[in-house]
Amino acid sequence: SPSHDMVGKVGIGNAGVPAPSPINLNVSGIVRAHSFMIFSDENLKTAFDTIINPLDKVIQLKTYSYKYITTTPNEADSISVNHTKADNPYNFDTSYTHYGFKAQEVSTVLPDLIKIDPSGKYSMNYSEMIPILVKAIQVLEHRIKELENEIH
């Protein structure tokens, strides 16, 4: 029988939900959906503020291409890319190159986007990066217009 704090939590594939955990759904593998909707109603929010220095934040972030490992980090000192699916406890798709960030690095710039589970694994809320990127683009557009006005 699950503990009270685990009621309503689901793990799919090889993914369990560590206890205690803020995670309600943990999926191991690819999730496909027509759409993911996130509450954004202004009536559900408070303490609105402008995003401060978005361009400075974005410039500090390093982007990477990478492949997922096929073994748990606690295993052998040398991690080979020649492991089989059976060696892949997180069920990562290791067949292609992925693109993104290192959550540990992002946590120093945008700590609110990062969560650490009870086992010490970092996760990043990529969707919350979108408003920061949009604001950074708006700042750049404003700077471009100012420079164009100086030229004319």
Side-chain angles (χ1 to χ4, degrees), residues 33-96:
H34 172 70
S35 176
F36 285 98
M37 301 296 291
I38 299 170
F39 281 114
S40 192
D41 187 311
E42 69 179 89
N43 297 306
L44 301 173
K45 302 173 182 179
T46 187
F48 290 94
D49 205 354
T50 302
I51 297 172
I52 307 298
N53 301 320
L55 194 54
D56 294 339
K57 291 174 175 62
V58 170
I59 288 170
Q60 292 179 61
L61 299 175
K62 295 179 184 174
T63 59
Y64 299 93
S65 65
Y66 59 91
K67 292 200 177 228
Y68 279 111
I69 62 171
T70 57
T71 59
T72 60
N74 298 335
E75 289 182 0
D77 293 334
S78 62
I79 296 174
S80 168
V81 294
N82 298 321
H83 287 284
T84 66
K85 190 89 165 161
D87 295 322
N88 184 352
Y90 297 108
N91 201 24
F92 292 140
D93 186 343
T94 60
S95 66
Y96 66 94

Side-chain angles (χ1 to χ4, degrees), residues 101-114:
F101 305 93
K102 294 179 182 177
Q104 288 86 339
E105 292 177 358
V106 174
S107 70
T108 65
V109 180
L110 296 162
D112 293 334
L113 300 186
I114 304 302

Side-chain angles (χ1 to χ4, degrees), residues 23 103-104 111 113-117 120-126:
I23 298 169
Q104 288 86 339
L113 300 186
I114 304 302
K115 298 288 183 237
I116 305 170
D117 74 16
K121 300 290 183 292
Y122 285 64
S123 296
M124 181 174 155
N125 187 340
Y126 275 77

